[in-house]
Amino acid sequence: MHVSADPIRPADHDRYRRYAELAAFLDGDQWATAPRRGEQRLTFNYARAVARKTVAYVFPGAVTFRVPPGEGTATSAARAELILAGAIADGDLAALDVALCSDAVTLGDAAVKVTWDAAAQRPVVSPVDPATLVAVTAADDPRHVLSITQRYALPPDRVRELGWATSDAPLGSRDLPILERWTAQTWRVEVAGQVVQEGANPYGWIPYVLLANDPSPLEPWGRSDLRDLIDVCREINQRMSTVSRILELSGAPIAVLENVDGSEGIAVSPGATWELPEGARAYLLDLLSGGGIALHREYLDLLFRALHDLSETPRTAFGDGGRDLSGAALEVEVQPLVQKVQRKRRGWDAFYRARNMRLLDLLERFGGEPVAGVRRTEAVWPSILPSDIDGTVRNVTALVAAVVQVTHSLPEHEEAPAPIVRRGRGLCRGG
């Protein structure tokens, strides 16, 4: 038995536990306590709605890639762009990116593994559960990953296909624990505690690419967008459940009897007649009197406002502005979401540079594609907010028509006045 490298540390156990709790919360397990007997609970999964809305704004359309100026010749750059686009299309990586973004927003982290499939002669980008990874970073640079270890399990047949079966380790029928440790120079594989592969890294770089959401500069891992929404979502569920119970009881009101020793012979049913003793009184308990339900509604409005503020996702982002706004006012209202998306796209830019570098390297070294050493790429993002193209065209057409009309109304020896330009506090005509 060999001692496995990079053992799981307490911080990794905490991270794995946090992943499990966040995944369960997104799936609807949002109550902090067990239900009481007969208690009816409602769960309004706003956490999932906000997460999906964020992903939709990060990826409103397809992301394309270009080779920046100075990276190779014009011919090699154009060829690299085409080859990379083909590999992305063949691997359906656009759909994978959306799924990865959802995981990163929910859990705080996502990851892929970029390798070469010798049988299919193509690169493979596989999603990786971050709860199976341990990363070791440089002591003087937490952003520099020195090694990544992945722990997972494979069925015996797959272990044999990979050539990792050993004569002194019977495989049996159960899934076998696998440990892979990668550095830029070495690659080590253990199956059920036995080393089956140890040697040089065939790629020269670590094949894992991490995607950290809202990362800390002191570690390679990120933080979930849901961490600030958990208490708000739980309170919304609790208050909505309370309102639901009040309305249910109001539909079947409670009969209150005063100065009555017992309730024998008193049946609550439509058209029922009660004979009460002298001095007794009967009435229905109105739970909606006194404006109590309005207080619940006002509190819920405050909770929803907190939800939108904390998630940086205004109600307008869901298509319900509630009032008529000009284009400029609408942009200001959605600005928090735009800034949030821009922060996330900066993390995606780093992810794409690392992933595409590995793809181009594999395609040239193992696939023989003529990219002439081109490795750097830049992401070309679609616009975050939809644009009113028709409105822009109408405005431009009106301005051009106005200029043409003024020009034709002037005498032949006069020119159209130069546009007035505002500079500082004064006005001057631009020439």
Side-chain angles (χ1 to χ4, degrees):
M1 182 72 67
H2 296 267
V3 178
S4 300
D6 299 343
I8 301 178
R9 298 158 295 185
D12 293 312
H13 283 294
D14 292 341
R15 180 166 54 88
Y16 301 158
R17 174 185 52 78
R18 189 166 61 249
Y19 290 158
E21 292 174 353
L22 290 168
F25 190 87
L26 191 77
D27 287 339
D29 185 10
Q30 299 182 2
W31 288 78
T33 59
R36 298 187 296 271
R37 184 176 182 180
E39 180 185 9
Q40 180 181 0
R41 289 181 170 181
L42 302 178
T43 299
F44 296 84
N45 205 335
Y46 281 95
R48 177 180 293 169
V50 170
R52 287 178 173 175
K53 184 61 63 176
T54 301
V55 174
Y57 273 87
V58 174
F59 290 103
V63 181
T64 58
F65 301 94
R66 70 181 186 91
V67 176
E71 182 75 5
T73 64
T75 302
S76 62
R79 185 182 297 114
E81 290 175 0
L82 290 175
I83 292 173
L84 178 62
I88 291 174
D90 292 341
D92 197 16
L93 300 188
L96 177 60
D97 290 344
V98 174
L100 291 174
C101 186
S102 179
D103 282 351
V105 167
T106 303
L107 305 179
D109 298 298
V112 295
K113 185 179 183 182
V114 185
T115 55
W116 180 258
D117 187 340
Q121 285 294 295
R122 64 181 182 89
V124 177
V125 180
S126 305
V128 176
D129 183 359
T132 64
L133 299 179
V134 175
V136 175
T137 59
D140 58 342
D141 185 4
R143 300 173 63 188
H144 181 204
V145 178
L146 298 177
S147 69
I148 290 184
T149 301
Q150 183 182 12
R151 300 168 183 267
Y152 56 101
L154 288 177
D157 292 341
R158 180 56 178 164
V159 172
R160 294 188 185 93
E161 291 177 7
L162 295 172
W164 291 348
T166 58
S167 57
D168 56 343
L171 298 183
S173 58
R174 296 182 179 180
D175 288 356
L176 301 173
I178 309 295
L179 184 145
E180 280 192 68
R181 183 180 186 273
W182 292 82
T183 69
Q185 297 79 29
T186 62
W187 176 34
R188 175 189 175 101
V189 179
E190 295 181 15
V191 177
Q194 298 294 324
V195 177
V196 298
Q197 172 71 44
E198 188 169 20
N201 184 338
Y203 306 128
W205 33 258
I206 298 175
Y208 298 93
V209 184
L210 305 181
L211 175 64
N213 180 74
D214 190 17
S216 166
L218 301 179
E219 59 182 11
W221 306 109
R223 293 169 289 192
S224 170
D225 282 4
L226 303 185
R227 67 188 188 279
D228 297 328
L229 307 181
I230 291 177
D231 290 341
V232 176
C233 290
R234 283 175 173 168
E235 188 67 10
I236 288 176
N237 293 333
Q238 185 173 351
R239 291 303 102 202
M240 292 289 277
S241 298
T242 300
V243 172
S244 175
R245 288 194 293 271
I246 292 174
L247 294 177
E248 183 179 5
L249 292 174
S250 299
I254 301 173
V256 180
L257 304 177
E258 291 183 355
N259 301 324
V260 176
D261 294 333
S263 59
E264 293 81 4
I266 299 178
V268 179
S269 61
T273 301
W274 298 347
E275 293 184 3
L276 301 177
E278 184 178 357
R281 188 167 72 97
Y283 63 91
L284 297 178
L285 182 62
D286 187 2
L287 298 177
L288 301 182
S289 63
I293 197 71
L295 293 177
H296 286 282
R297 180 174 178 179
E298 291 175 4
Y299 182 50
L300 280 169
D301 289 340
L302 291 176
L303 289 175
F304 282 115
R305 180 173 179 176
L307 176 70
H308 290 299
D309 289 346
L310 293 174
S311 66
E312 300 177 84
T313 310
R315 183 63 193 171
T316 308
F318 290 84
D320 181 16
R323 60 193 188 280
D324 293 332
L325 296 174
S326 65
L330 186 60
E331 289 184 5
V332 171
E333 185 162 319
V334 187
Q335 190 64 21
L337 178 60
V338 173
Q339 295 170 343
K340 175 183 177 181
V341 170
Q342 288 174 341
R343 291 199 309 270
K344 295 188 182 302
R345 285 185 174 183
R346 280 191 283 271
W348 274 95
D349 286 336
F351 172 84
Y352 281 140
R353 284 194 298 270
R355 186 201 68 180
N356 293 348
M357 180 278 292
R358 287 162 171 75
L359 286 174
L360 290 172
D361 191 53
L362 292 175
L363 287 166
E364 183 173 31
R365 291 170 53 200
F366 298 94
E369 297 290 354
V371 297
V374 172
R375 297 293 183 269
R376 292 182 57 217
T377 59
E378 293 179 349
V380 180
W381 291 93
S383 176
I384 298 175
L385 299 177
S387 57
D388 187 0
I389 299 178
D390 293 338
T392 302
V393 171
R394 287 194 299 269
N395 292 336
V396 172
T397 302
L399 290 174
V400 172
V403 172
V404 171
Q405 183 177 1
V406 170
T407 304
H408 280 288
S409 64
L410 292 173
E412 295 182 359
H413 62 280
E414 295 187 17
E415 296 181 357
I420 297 176
V421 181
R422 184 181 298 273
R423 296 177 182 170
R425 295 185 177 179
L427 296 177
C428 64
R429 291 192 180 274

